[in-house]
Amino acid sequence: MTNTQVKKIPEGMHTVTPHLICAGAAAAIEFYKKAFNATEKARIPAPNGKLMHASIQIGDSTVMLVDEMPEWGALGPKALKAPRLDPPLCRGCRCLYGAGRRCRGEGDNAGRGYVLGDRYGQIEDPFGHRWSVATHVKDKSLEEIQQAMPKMNCPSA
C-alpha cells in the first residue's frame, strides 16, 4: 500500500486520541477497566518491563498510555507537579462518575446539571489525570446557554 492509500485516521480511531503518561501504566489500565469498563487493546512492554505503549477502549474511543520514562522526558502529572491536561469528556456521566468514585477516584461536581445541558462531574484518578464525565440531558440554544452563564458564579477572567 502506498502512502496515498494509507488511512490518515486508522480504523477504530478518532481525530483526537488522548495519550496518558502514567506512573504505573499497567496499574492505570486495571483502574480504567474497573472505573470506566475499559477493554485492553494493546500492550507493548520495553525490555525493562515498563510499558512503551498500551491502548484501551472506553466506549467507542481509544486512549493510549505509556509508563513514565524520565530519560525520554515522559512524565505524568504527579511527577510534573503541574496543571493537568484533562482527558476528553466521557459520555455516560452517572455510570462513569459513580464507577470512578467507587474505584477510589477523587470526585467533585457530584454529576450535577451543567449550563450546556449536560449532567457533569469530574474525577481525578490515582495517577493524577482528571476525567470530565457528562450525560447530555437537554438540548439548549446558544441564547439559553449565554443567559445561564452569569448564574454559574464563575470567577471573572
Side-chain angles (χ1 to χ4, degrees):
M1 190 178 267
T2 66
N3 281 343
T4 58
Q5 296 173 322
V6 172
K7 290 185 176 184
K8 300 300 180 197
I9 301 172
E11 194 68 39
M13 301 294 278
H14 297 290
T15 303
V16 175
T17 302
H19 187 267
L20 306 179
I21 300 170
C22 300
I29 291 169
E30 295 310 310
F31 176 85
Y32 301 143
K33 285 178 180 178
K34 290 177 188 170
F36 302 136
N37 199 28
T39 55
E40 187 172 329
K41 293 173 62 176
R43 187 184 294 226
I44 302 171
N48 65 5
K50 288 188 175 187
L51 291 181
M52 289 178 55
H53 170 76
S55 63
I56 58 174
Q57 186 161 341
I58 301 173
D60 67 351
S61 299
T62 297
V63 177
M64 295 184 182
L65 301 95
V66 65
D67 264 311
E68 284 188 337
M69 295 185 197
E71 65 276 20
W72 292 98
L75 298 170
K78 287 185 174 185
L80 291 171
K81 296 179 180 137
R84 297 168 295 274
L85 289 178
D86 294 347
L89 189 69
C90 300
R91 295 291 163 183
C93 180
R94 189 169 285 155
C95 170
L96 292 179
Y97 184 81
R101 294 286 304 251
R102 284 191 302 276
C103 294
R104 295 196 176 104
E106 297 295 321
D108 61 17
N109 295 329
R112 65 181 180 220
Y114 187 62
V115 71
L116 298 177
D118 295 344
R119 179 170 287 117
Y120 177 84
Q122 294 182 337
I123 64 162
E124 182 172 321
D125 69 28
F127 310 93
H129 297 282
R130 184 173 294 258
W131 294 77
S132 299
V133 293
T135 299
H136 191 68
V137 294
K138 182 179 180 186
D139 291 330
K140 291 189 173 184
S141 69
L142 181 58
E143 183 177 290
E144 289 174 302
I145 293 167
Q146 289 170 332
Q147 288 174 355
M149 291 299 285
K151 298 174 189 169
M152 288 186 59
N153 296 323
C154 294
S156 58

